[in-house]
Amino acid sequence: MTALTVGFDLLLSAALLWLAWQALFLPLRFAAVVHFMAFNLLMALVWVRLEAPDVALAEAAIGAGVTGALLLTALGRLPGGGSRRAHPRRWHRYWRYLAIFSAFVSAVWLAWSVQHLPRPGLTTEIMAALDTTGVSHAVTAVLLNIRAIDTLLEVAVMLGAVMLVWSLGPALRPFAPATALPGLPALSRLLHPLFLLVPTYLLWRGAHAPGGAFPAGAVLGAGGILLLLADGVSWMQQPRYNLLLRLLLIAGLALFVVVGLGGLLLTGTFLAIPQAQAKAVILAVEVATALSIALMLMALYLYGEPGR
Amino acid sequence: MTPIYLSAAILLLANAGVGAWRIWHGPTSADRMVAAELITTTTVAVLLVLSALVEQPVLIDVALLFALLAAVAMANFVTRTWTLLREDSQARDEAGHD
């Protein structure tokens, strides 16, 4: 039993190291990207083995859905023939020494800080405060009530990323596929109800079990990307919907800031949520953030400002 | 029951290793992509086995996400990567072989 568990873990870590090495050092770009996608899959299994199902859920939603899609599309736009030129071995050797040195220093620093972490962590404090947060799952309580400022800043960072990508130029026009794809519109139409149902389920579950706004938004965004691939959301590209699109993009952040200012008015602390309204407020913020995250991922996927 | 579940998980992981070999070896991008989908399917199976092993229903949710999102990766590959790349003459070649 223990021998089998150890065998499973050893096999998993060996596969992970192999995939990471190939993703970094293969000269073929496409093969490297596929290795990275497989790395994401096994990484989710590692999070499961480390008993962190919340992280595994986020890894599954973001790693399998959105990162792979962004990398594959970017790969399709790169000029051909130069794939061997991008190899890291052609860097100047001083840069290599600098990279090795900084990696070594941060590894030592990380090992040192792991030794000095408070044991057994903040679990008891969070469990003691859980009843006042309005949700019964510790991770959601930390993300949306106790440390809501972190989540607020994360959403702001994502919005900043969208603005940066849009500032680079107009939205990219996709190339024609190499073969006819009669099944694609049917696939997106068949799967779309599931891409609405699963995020709703994750969002609702977030109050008492692993789930919540980020995985839900990422899955919804992946469904949106599938629609984009099948040309199902042409309204995003039309100039007359531009204002609506921008308003929807900032809706999550705006609601979050309004909640924060409301907390400042009612209790005197920014982002403090009164206990009586906590459940409803957290649900509203989660819905708005999930919708905004989904739309932001779709907006990133356009690789430029639409309607220009 | 536990040793059976664990052996099944190890066997599935070994299967994923065969998929990893195909990703590494190629030779065409379609081979690599299908091998990645094989690893996705294997991961879904491993997650389901583990959820029975440690009695954590949330792992079924993770498996559900992987199963759902595999379609997006494949649709991306056929529409945006495997394209009639620009005007280069070897572009079609690269789509088939890189």
Side-chain angles (χ1 to χ4, degrees):
Chain A
M1 157 76 189
T2 6
L4 281 176
T5 319
V6 171
F8 180 80
D9 290 347
L10 279 180
L11 202 58
L12 193 58
S13 359
L16 209 60
L17 279 175
W18 162 264
L19 290 172
W21 183 266
Q22 298 300 336
L24 285 174
F25 293 108
L26 264 188
L28 296 171
R29 285 186 303 223
F30 184 84
V33 165
V34 178
H35 273 106
F36 180 68
M37 288 164 67
F39 175 85
N40 275 328
L41 293 170
L42 291 195
M43 198 60 215
L45 282 183
V46 171
W47 287 120
V48 165
R49 288 292 301 146
L50 292 172
E51 294 177 16
D54 290 271
V55 190
L57 210 59
E59 178 79 33
I62 294 167
V66 183
T67 320
L70 283 172
L71 285 175
L72 278 179
T73 307
L75 202 60
R77 310 295 302 207
L78 287 175
S83 53
R84 274 162 214 282
R85 227 168 293 144
H87 202 263
R89 265 183 216 151
R90 302 190 59 114
W91 280 10
H92 200 280
R93 76 168 58 152
Y94 296 124
W95 286 111
R96 214 178 347 156
Y97 291 141
L98 191 67
I100 291 171
F101 177 73
S102 51
F104 179 74
V105 166
S106 28
V108 168
W109 179 70
L110 271 177
W112 182 83
S113 15
V114 164
Q115 288 299 313
H116 291 79
L117 280 180
R119 281 161 220 261
L122 294 171
T123 318
T124 35
E125 282 90 337
I126 289 169
M127 283 305 166
L130 198 58
D131 287 336
T132 64
T133 56
V135 286
S136 56
H137 183 53
V139 175
T140 311
V142 171
L143 283 181
L144 285 155
N145 199 334
I146 301 173
R147 292 291 302 173
I149 184 80
D150 292 347
T151 314
L152 173 70
L153 291 177
E154 276 169 32
V155 178
V157 165
M158 273 193 73
L159 195 61
V162 171
M163 291 196 306
L164 187 73
V165 169
W166 279 19
S167 71
L168 294 177
L172 290 184
R173 233 172 269 276
F175 297 125
T179 41
L181 303 166
L184 188 63
L187 177 76
S188 69
R189 228 170 289 147
L190 278 175
L191 283 182
H192 201 62
L194 279 176
F195 273 113
L196 293 175
L197 184 67
V198 171
T200 317
Y201 162 72
L202 284 175
L203 208 57
W204 185 252
R205 229 181 119 79
H208 54 88
F214 267 88
V219 175
L220 200 59
I225 288 176
L226 192 61
L227 276 184
L228 273 173
L229 292 176
D231 285 330
V233 275
S234 47
W235 66 270
M236 278 184 91
Q237 305 268 13
Q238 288 168 10
R240 63 194 164 112
Y241 290 110
N242 250 336
L243 187 68
L244 177 70
L245 180 62
R246 283 171 165 76
L247 285 177
L248 287 173
L249 277 174
I250 61 164
L253 188 64
L255 187 69
F256 224 134
V257 171
V258 165
V259 166
L261 292 177
L264 190 63
L265 278 181
L266 287 176
T267 63
T269 318
F270 185 65
L271 272 175
I273 305 172
Q275 194 184 339
Q277 291 90 34
K279 193 175 167 59
V281 169
I282 286 181
L283 192 64
V285 169
E286 278 205 294
V287 170
T289 331
L291 288 176
S292 271
I293 288 172
L295 211 58
M296 279 188 236
L297 292 174
M298 286 168 74
L300 275 178
Y301 194 78
L302 293 174
Y303 290 91
E305 187 180 355
R308 211 165 75 176
Chain B
M1 281 312 272
T2 317
I4 301 177
Y5 283 146
L6 270 173
S7 318
I10 291 176
L11 196 67
L12 286 166
L13 213 54
N15 262 329
V18 177
W21 178 80
R22 180 48 84 185
I23 294 182
W24 175 74
H25 187 259
T28 68
S29 49
D31 286 324
R32 297 199 162 98
M33 204 59 211
V34 173
E37 295 302 302
L38 169 72
I39 296 187
T40 311
T41 315
T42 321
T43 316
V44 169
V46 172
L47 281 167
L48 292 178
V49 168
L50 285 183
S51 84
L53 187 69
V54 296
E55 285 171 14
Q56 273 209 343
V58 61
L59 301 192
I60 299 177
D61 292 353
V62 183
L64 174 72
L65 290 198
F66 275 138
L68 198 56
L69 296 174
V72 179
M74 206 41 147
N76 243 288
F77 171 69
V78 292
T79 52
R80 298 287 154 93
T81 317
W82 208 35
T83 51
L84 295 164
L85 292 158
R86 303 162 303 273
E87 298 87 36
D88 313 15
S89 54
Q90 339 92 315
R92 184 65 194 274
D93 261 15
E94 189 188 294
H97 292 286
D98 183 17

